[in-house]
Amino acid sequence: MKSLRVKKGDTTPELDFDVDKMEFLLEGESRSEDVLIFYEPIINWLTNFKEWFLKNESSKKLDFHFKLEYYNSLSAKFIFSIFKILKEMQVKGLEINVFWFYDVLDEDLLECGEEYEKILGFKFEYIAL
Amino acid sequence: MKNINSQFAYETHQLMEGADVRLSFSGEFSPDLITVLLSMAKSNIGDKLVMKKVYNVMIECLENLTKHSLKIEGDQFPAIFLLGKDDEYYFLATGNKIASNEVNELETKLIKVNSLNKKELMLWYNEILTSETSSSFKGGAGLGIIDMALKSGNRFEYNFNKIDNYHSFFTLKVKVGQK
């Protein structure tokens, strides 16, 4: 399974899903109006990754660093889809740590994380910057 | 014959200054322009907490303008955006043309959003977020307007001005608190 890397764009975040280290990163801003074009390949990749993981349990631990400073409402559903897939992997036995980074002043972003947590029954670690 | 005299710029400037408008644009909104407006807003607002909220609401506002403004051939001014300051609030004001037959649906939605408290808004937001209609991303399934209300923490002010039988001009003012 090859890692997935996407460079930061004007309205899209940087993405680094490193399969060798089992460290995933999503960082920056996600405010593209063409969210489908950006997120669809990512969701597809993650779905494949999930299948690959289930067959190949070489590593049981994955760290997901969520460092989006801002995401628009169009991105929210895709972010939800990402966490949903991660949750499915957790249910299958993978140890998944989600680190949710937020600016200490940005309580809205903290609340967003807590909502995803609540909906999915997923425990996040919060890191205030 | 239309003939605008040179006082027009002065009068417009006075009007903007009087309303404490910090940033404004009238015309067609492109992605590049939105990036510029956002970075200008960022540097204009000193308070980081308020800036983050304004930034959030502003992105949704500008997205609505590009997505929902009625494009009439040859129309150079489909929409307007203003960022200003009242006594206690920053405000974002937008205006755009819409088809008259869309007024009812939009107004119903605005009335609903205005009638809900934070907890109810979050429940509604989560309901849409988790619904399986993930393919209908065209309008973001309505998450944007709820998100704006949550970030704003204030009731929307809005109006529909009839242009003719087929067109209306929709104005929206969203306040972002200082706290």
Side-chain angles (χ1 to χ4, degrees):
Chain A
M1 184 91 198
K2 259 182 83 180
S3 298
L4 179 68
R5 287 193 179 86
V6 184
K7 280 197 184 131
K8 178 186 174 305
D10 278 347
T11 60
T12 51
E14 182 193 338
L15 182 139
D16 188 355
F17 288 0
D18 189 324
V19 174
D20 300 318
K21 290 186 192 156
M22 286 296 248
E23 288 208 12
F24 287 14
L25 167 79
L26 193 58
E27 180 169 25
E29 283 190 12
S30 181
R31 57 173 184 85
S32 168
E33 288 179 37
D34 296 317
V35 272
L36 192 63
I37 293 169
F38 181 78
Y39 281 103
E40 202 172 39
I42 295 165
I43 304 290
N44 289 339
W45 184 92
L46 264 180
T47 309
N48 290 335
F49 173 78
K50 186 180 88 176
E51 297 306 318
W52 172 82
F53 158 74
L54 290 176
K55 286 191 207 115
N56 179 349
E57 294 186 38
S58 53
S59 173
K60 284 191 178 286
K61 187 170 159 287
L62 168 68
D63 287 347
F64 190 95
H65 299 272
F66 184 91
K67 289 189 174 179
L68 284 188
E69 280 172 58
Y70 174 75
Y71 57 89
N72 63 359
S73 58
L74 294 170
S75 306
K77 265 205 149 177
F78 290 97
I79 292 163
F80 177 71
S81 298
I82 291 175
F83 285 129
K84 212 167 134 185
I85 295 170
L86 292 176
K87 178 67 192 176
E88 285 162 11
M89 289 193 272
Q90 192 185 53
V91 169
K92 297 281 185 189
L94 185 63
E95 181 191 339
I96 306 219
N97 302 305
V98 174
F99 299 97
W100 184 283
F101 293 77
Y102 69 102
D103 187 306
V104 72
L105 286 171
D106 197 350
E107 281 182 23
D108 287 329
L109 189 57
L110 172 64
E111 270 183 21
C112 289
E114 289 170 345
E115 284 302 305
Y116 280 123
E117 222 185 353
K118 210 167 69 190
I119 297 169
L120 289 159
F122 206 142
K123 188 91 192 73
F124 293 175
E125 297 276 338
Y126 293 97
I127 297 167
L129 299 171
Chain B
M1 259 301 261
K2 213 186 283 182
N3 188 7
I4 308 286
N5 73 36
S6 67
Q7 280 294 93
F8 180 73
Y10 172 68
E11 283 158 11
T12 308
H13 180 263
Q14 290 293 96
L15 203 63
M16 296 279 199
E17 197 171 47
D20 210 348
V21 169
R22 307 290 176 90
L23 190 61
S24 67
F25 182 83
S26 176
E28 253 181 87
F29 287 80
S30 68
D32 284 347
L33 174 70
I34 288 177
T35 300
V36 172
L37 288 173
L38 284 168
S39 87
M40 287 173 83
K42 245 184 185 170
S43 53
N44 191 288
I45 301 168
D47 186 314
K48 204 174 167 191
L49 176 69
V50 179
M51 187 276 286
K52 283 201 173 271
K53 281 185 185 285
V54 168
Y55 192 74
N56 274 265
V57 175
M58 188 168 160
I59 288 173
E60 300 295 335
C61 278
L62 294 173
E63 246 171 47
N64 285 340
L65 287 185
T66 53
K67 236 183 328 179
H68 299 302
S69 292
L70 188 68
K71 308 233 168 23
I72 304 165
E73 186 118 349
D75 185 1
Q76 302 288 309
F77 293 95
I80 183 164
F81 168 82
L82 303 164
L83 166 65
K85 203 160 172 296
D86 284 346
D87 289 339
E88 292 170 57
Y89 301 96
Y90 278 91
F91 69 85
L92 298 107
T94 60
N96 60 283
K97 288 166 195 165
I98 61 168
S100 296
N101 59 15
E102 289 173 9
V103 170
N104 267 343
E105 195 188 332
L106 181 56
E107 191 166 20
T108 307
K109 195 155 206 180
L110 289 162
I111 290 169
K112 184 173 174 187
V113 170
N114 269 352
S115 73
L116 300 177
N117 62 31
K118 187 181 172 183
K119 212 180 150 195
E120 292 164 331
L121 284 169
M122 280 174 118
L123 278 173
W124 188 16
Y125 184 96
N126 289 346
E127 201 179 295
I128 296 174
L129 188 73
T130 54
S131 69
E132 287 300 321
T133 55
S134 50
S135 54
S136 67
F137 280 111
K138 219 174 162 190
L143 283 178
I145 200 166
I146 308 173
D147 196 43
M148 277 162 68
L150 282 166
K151 301 272 160 55
S152 150
N154 293 285
R155 300 268 178 269
F156 293 147
E157 290 169 31
Y158 58 89
N159 207 3
F160 296 95
N161 304 270
K162 190 174 167 180
I163 298 172
D164 56 37
N165 282 340
Y166 305 100
H167 308 100
S168 291
F169 196 82
F170 165 57
T171 57
L172 176 69
K173 181 180 169 190
V174 187
K175 295 189 280 192
V176 179
Q178 285 267 61
K179 265 194 251 174

